[in-house]
Each structure stands twice: as structure tokens, then as C-alpha cells.
Amino acid sequence: MADKDTTHFGYQEVATGDKQKKVAEVFHSVASKYDLMNDLMSFGIHRLWKRYTIELSGVRAGNSVLDIAGGTGDLSYAFARRVGPEGQVVLADINESMLKVGRDRLADRGIAGNLETVQANAESLPFDDNRFDVVSIAFGLRNVTHKEKALAEMQRVLKPGGRLLVLEFSKPRNDLLSRAYDFYSFQALPRMGSLVTGDADSYRYLAESIRMHPDQETLKAMMSDAGFERVQYHNLTGGIVALHRGVKP
Ligand code: SAM
């Protein structure tokens, strides 16, 4: 299929081939302050969203897990503890700055033996078919240029019966919450980003990219189209975030 000439980067229309580079600039810029900003921006609530993701994954001791766009490794850390020494977790991310923070952080926490870090693009995963019991992507999919391609890749590397968990910002379910959230994201977030990281633009991109991301039902349909079965989603914090889960037949 021919590639479209342009795509969105937040609210900007950019050449399709340029999006990946622009996303890379954002994450190179924020990597060292990423974890601090996550806690500040979400008032720590991202930890609950991630805990719920681990619960819904059904991960067990001995499982093999891919955490794609895993960044600084929150999910990978939790998965590595669950799968234990017989299991394996691959923390994969396209961005070497984010991966470096993740690798150092997990090594400091004593996670090493069952964890591997791999620099990889979600759109072309360097893994064999049918390899993983669980694949997760948290707050990563909206940054990927070709989302359908990435979902197809995630489905390919899962074992039959394996689960995909997509944790991502989504569409708030109620108007009042939506308006308060708009005010917070477009006014407060860039200011907070500027104060803590000196980079307001990356946090403006965050707010814009969230608005451009497919809503709950659209993402559900995209997962079904990619071949997942029993696709369901759970709205978290009033739909500010949604956790989608699908099973490879
Ligand atoms: N999953 C982590 C979390 O929940 O804290 C990190 C999320 S961070 C907002 C998004 C991550 O997606 C970044 O580390 C970025 O480098 C990564 N990313 C963006 N595009 C990607 C792609 N095409 N393939 C793999 N990772 C990508």
C-alpha cells in the first residue's frame, strides 16, 4: 500500500517520513526528566494505570513478555518481577536515550537476569513469529507513524492465545471532565514542562498528540482489523486513559 505523503505530529501536518525524527527529538529531550514529569503531570496516577495493565495481562511465572515503546521501564520492571527467573522480559524502544535511562534504572533495582533491552521500531519488530505470551505498549502507540503496521507486528510476535495490552490516552467520557482536562493539558502542562525540563514544546506535543489519537472505539476496531479477538477496553480515570486488550487467535 502506498504511504500517505503527510501525517500528523500533534496538530502539525508533517511529511510522513519526518514524523519519526520529530518524535525522536521529543524523547531525547525529555528522557532524563521523564519519570519525574510523569509523576508530576499525573499526580502519580500513572502508577495505578500501569498496575491495572499488569493485572489484566494475566502474566504468569515463566512467561515471555515484550514491552514495546517501554521507555524507562515501568511496565518491564513489574513484568520482570512477575515472570521470575524462568521467564523473560524484553524492554524495547526506538529511542536510545529513553532505553538508556530504562536500562540503568532497572539495573539499579536489581533486575538483570530475565530482562533484555532492544532498540527497535514497533513497526518492524526484530523477533520471530509466535514468540511472546504478552505484548504491551503503554503511552507509545500515539507516537508511532504507521499504527496499523505496528499492531500487525505485535500480533505476529504473539503466541496464539497471547494477549496485547495497549495503554494509551483516550477520550474523556464526560464534557465537564473533558473541558477541565483541556485546560489542564494546554495551559498547565507546557508550563510545567518548561519549568522542569526547559522544554515547553515537547509537552505541547504531548497534549496535541493525545487529541489526535484514535478514540476508544476506533482503536478497538483497529485491533480487530489487525486480527485480534475478544478486543475489549476499560476506561480509566473517566476515559482520560483507556486500556485495550486483545487476544491472538
Ligand atoms: N511505556 C513507557 C511508559 O509508559 O512510561 C514510555 C512511554 S513514552 C510516553 C513513549 C515511548 O514510545 C518513548 O520512549 C518513545 O521513544 C517510544 N516510541 C515512539 N515511537 C516508537 C516506535 N515507532 N517504536 C518504538 N518505540 C517508540
Side-chain angles (χ1 to χ4, degrees), residues 23 27 34 38 50 67-72 74 92-95 98 120-123 138-140 142-144:
V23 169
F27 289 103
Y34 178 82
N38 257 359
K50 287 170 178 163
D67 179 22
I68 179 75
T72 60
D74 279 350
D93 198 286
I94 199 169
N95 189 290
M98 292 293 281
N121 186 345
E123 294 177 16
F139 305 110
R142 72 174 187 285
N143 300 297
V144 173

Side-chain angles (χ1 to χ4, degrees), residues 19-20 23-24 26-28 30-31 34-35 38 41 46 50 67-76 91-99 105 118-125 136-146 150 154 167-169 205-206:
K19 173 161 171 166
Q20 198 169 302
V23 169
V26 168
F27 289 103
H28 284 310
V30 304
Y34 178 82
D35 292 312
N38 257 359
M41 289 184 306
H46 74 103
K50 287 170 178 163
D67 179 22
I68 179 75
T72 60
D74 279 350
L75 282 184
S76 291
L91 164 58
D93 198 286
I94 199 169
N95 189 290
E96 62 267 33
S97 304
M98 292 293 281
L99 262 187
R105 193 170 164 237
V118 173
Q119 191 173 1
N121 186 345
E123 294 177 16
S124 55
L125 294 172
S136 62
I137 180 162
F139 305 110
L141 192 62
R142 72 174 187 285
N143 300 297
V144 173
T145 310
H146 302 98
M154 294 179 214
L167 182 66
E168 190 51 272
F169 291 104
Y205 164 71
L206 168 68

Side-chain angles (χ1 to χ4, degrees), residues 115-133:
L115 185 110
E116 188 188 341
T117 51
V118 173
Q119 191 173 1
N121 186 345
E123 294 177 16
S124 55
L125 294 172
F127 307 109
D128 290 340
D129 298 359
N130 307 321
R131 164 153 174 204
F132 297 99
D133 298 286

Side-chain angles (χ1 to χ4, degrees), residues 139-158:
F139 305 110
L141 192 62
R142 72 174 187 285
N143 300 297
V144 173
T145 310
H146 302 98
K147 296 177 185 37
E148 283 85 359
K149 207 163 159 188
L151 289 170
E153 277 292 87
M154 294 179 214
Q155 130 89 286
R156 179 183 68 73
V157 301
L158 271 171

Side-chain angles (χ1 to χ4, degrees), residues 7-202:
T7 189
H8 51 82
F9 171 74
Y11 288 170
Q12 292 173 47
E13 198 71 15
V14 298
T16 302
D18 288 350
K19 173 161 171 166
Q20 198 169 302
K21 194 166 135 261
K22 287 182 158 296
V23 169
E25 283 163 9
V26 168
F27 289 103
H28 284 310
S29 163
V30 304
S32 63
K33 294 278 168 51
Y34 178 82
D35 292 312
L36 172 66
M37 277 302 286
N38 257 359
D39 275 332
L40 288 175
M41 289 184 306
S42 74
F43 311 102
I45 298 172
H46 74 103
R47 293 163 185 264
L48 301 180
W49 299 330
K50 287 170 178 163
R51 201 176 300 160
Y52 191 59
T53 306
I54 302 288
E55 290 309 322
L56 223 72
S57 73
V59 69
R60 289 196 296 273
N63 277 175
S64 147
V65 178
L66 170 65
D67 179 22
I68 179 75
T72 60
D74 279 350
L75 282 184
S76 291
Y77 175 71
F79 277 129
R81 289 172 57 108
R82 291 284 181 108
V83 302
E86 307 301 317
Q88 205 215 1
V89 176
V90 179
L91 164 58
D93 198 286
I94 199 169
N95 189 290
E96 62 267 33
S97 304
M98 292 293 281
L99 262 187
K100 183 176 184 323
V101 175
R103 195 184 298 123
D104 292 350
R105 193 170 164 237
L106 298 194
D108 286 350
R109 290 177 171 194
I111 300 284
N114 61 358
L115 185 110
E116 188 188 341
T117 51
V118 173
Q119 191 173 1
N121 186 345
E123 294 177 16
S124 55
L125 294 172
F127 307 109
D128 290 340
D129 298 359
N130 307 321
R131 164 153 174 204
F132 297 99
D133 298 286
V134 173
V135 172
S136 62
I137 180 162
F139 305 110
L141 192 62
R142 72 174 187 285
N143 300 297
V144 173
T145 310
H146 302 98
K147 296 177 185 37
E148 283 85 359
K149 207 163 159 188
L151 289 170
E153 277 292 87
M154 294 179 214
Q155 130 89 286
R156 179 183 68 73
V157 301
L158 271 171
K159 295 176 184 170
R163 283 86 60 203
L164 170 66
L165 285 303
V166 183
L167 182 66
E168 190 51 272
F169 291 104
S170 204
K171 197 164 174 349
R173 294 290 82 197
N174 124 1
D175 271 357
L176 195 63
L177 177 64
S178 189
R179 265 181 272 145
Y181 177 54
D182 272 356
F183 179 80
Y184 176 71
S185 4
F186 287 102
Q187 304 302 324
L189 283 191
R191 287 202 181 102
M192 220 186 267
S194 170
L195 275 175
V196 178
T197 68
D199 174 4
D201 287 349
S202 292

